[in-house]
Amino acid sequence: MIAFQELLTADALISLLTLTVMEVVLGIDNVIFVSIVMNRLPEEKRLKARRIWMFTGIAVRIVLLLCIGYIIRATEPLFTIFGNAISLRDLIMLAGGLFLLVKTTLEIHHKLEGEEDETQQGGTKKAAATLANVVGQIILIDMVFSFDSIITAVGLAKHVEIMIIAVIIAMFIMFSFAPRISAFIHKHPTLKMLALSFLIMVGGILIIEGWNPEAVHDLHLKNYVYFAMAFSFIVELLNMRVRKQKPSHPVELRGPKETDLEPKK
């Protein structure tokens, strides 16, 4: 165990700050996914879902940090496919990437062509099922992102205690900003589609990282993805500023109603 005095040294504080910032940056895609999926819940269910996400996210990361020895061994090859050595970490990255691709594609379909969520008969039962479904998806994808971030964080701090403190601080920061990000994305349909496109790129990167980790690091693919998203985000902010000077009605990402699909007489 690390002494309390050691946490107040310059090296420990720099490691804590660096690791916290890194956890927040690596958690951006996680926050975007949570924000988009959370919007499908009724308003009264979102706070509960966010709290579950925060506490389970902290718990999962702490457990992974306490089992850091096993996590490091998870990078050892299990078998080889077409000359590529596949480890447990690679399998998790592949599964997480595929899940993110499928889920994001379905979410785009829902926003553009899906039906509206109706809560008429049996509305309470449907809302509860939606809450369980959304929370399950959030926990699943959070485990993938946390597994990746914990492995990345190993080289930035010497003590597990510092890593745990950094993870807790980062999760509270993400939890605090998640509602604002969710409301902002939901208010602007173009940003929502950009965010979904960003998640598709992240899913592709996870698959590439699971299949060939060296390619991601050698080619700095993550840097290109984050740059592309930041550039698109800045362009859209400029467009939003122009639209404020010339007000217009933004497109609404909703599905067609049944009455619209009926043939006209």
Side-chain angles (χ1 to χ4, degrees), residues 5-261:
Q5 292 79 4
E6 295 184 41
L7 291 175
L8 301 179
T9 62
D11 290 341
L13 292 176
I14 291 174
S15 297
L16 178 62
L17 178 61
T18 304
L19 191 55
T20 302
V21 173
M22 188 211 69
E23 287 289 332
V24 172
V25 171
L26 292 178
I28 290 176
D29 40 17
N30 195 1
V31 173
I32 292 175
F33 178 83
V34 170
S35 300
I36 293 175
V37 176
M38 205 84 73
N39 277 329
R40 301 192 64 178
L41 287 174
E43 185 68 31
E44 64 274 10
K45 299 285 185 178
R46 294 175 188 174
L47 179 59
K48 182 178 180 181
R50 279 195 295 268
R51 287 174 177 172
I52 294 174
W53 164 58
M54 184 184 71
F55 289 115
T56 55
I58 291 175
V60 167
R61 285 164 172 79
I62 290 177
V63 170
L64 290 177
L65 285 170
L66 294 177
C67 302
I68 196 67
Y70 296 99
I71 299 301
I72 296 300
R73 285 199 290 271
T75 59
E76 297 178 359
L78 297 176
F79 52 87
T80 302
I81 300 180
F82 300 114
N84 286 327
I86 305 297
S87 63
L88 176 60
R89 174 183 178 274
D90 298 333
L91 290 176
I92 293 176
M93 294 297 104
L94 288 169
L98 289 173
F99 172 79
L100 201 57
L101 284 179
V102 172
K103 177 58 187 174
T104 305
T105 302
L106 293 176
E107 192 68 23
I108 292 175
H109 173 80
H110 173 79
K111 297 301 179 187
L112 294 177
E113 301 182 14
E115 298 179 356
E116 289 288 341
D117 294 330
E118 300 288 345
T119 55
Q120 296 176 353
Q121 295 182 349
T124 304
K125 183 177 181 181
K126 184 176 181 181
T130 303
L131 175 63
N133 188 12
V134 168
V135 169
Q137 293 176 26
I138 290 173
I139 293 175
L140 179 61
I141 203 65
D142 187 69
M143 290 179 64
V144 176
F145 286 129
S146 61
F147 194 91
D148 189 34
S149 64
I150 291 303
I151 291 179
T152 307
V154 172
L156 295 181
K158 298 179 181 179
H159 304 285
V160 174
E161 293 84 354
I162 294 178
M163 297 182 190
I164 292 176
I165 295 174
V167 162
I168 294 175
I169 295 174
M171 283 300 300
F172 272 105
I173 292 174
M174 290 189 289
F175 175 79
S176 301
F177 283 95
R180 301 178 185 178
I181 295 174
S182 177
F184 189 70
I185 291 177
H186 185 68
K187 184 179 179 181
H188 302 282
T190 306
L191 283 179
K192 186 179 296 184
M193 296 308 299
L194 283 175
L196 289 169
S197 300
F198 172 64
L199 290 177
I200 287 181
M201 288 193 294
V202 171
I205 291 297
L206 289 177
I207 293 176
I208 296 173
E209 188 173 4
W211 180 253
N212 189 0
E214 290 77 13
V216 175
H217 298 294
D218 294 344
L219 299 177
H220 305 287
L221 294 182
K222 288 185 178 180
N223 296 339
Y224 292 117
V225 170
Y226 282 109
F227 173 79
M229 188 60 193
F231 181 81
S232 301
F233 179 70
I234 293 173
V235 171
E236 180 55 24
L237 289 180
L238 294 175
N239 288 333
M240 289 166 55
R241 186 171 183 179
V242 172
R243 285 198 298 267
K244 283 185 178 180
Q245 300 174 358
K246 298 180 180 180
S248 60
H249 298 286
V251 64
E252 295 183 1
L253 300 178
R254 295 178 179 177
K257 297 181 179 179
E258 293 183 1
T259 55
D260 297 332
L261 300 178

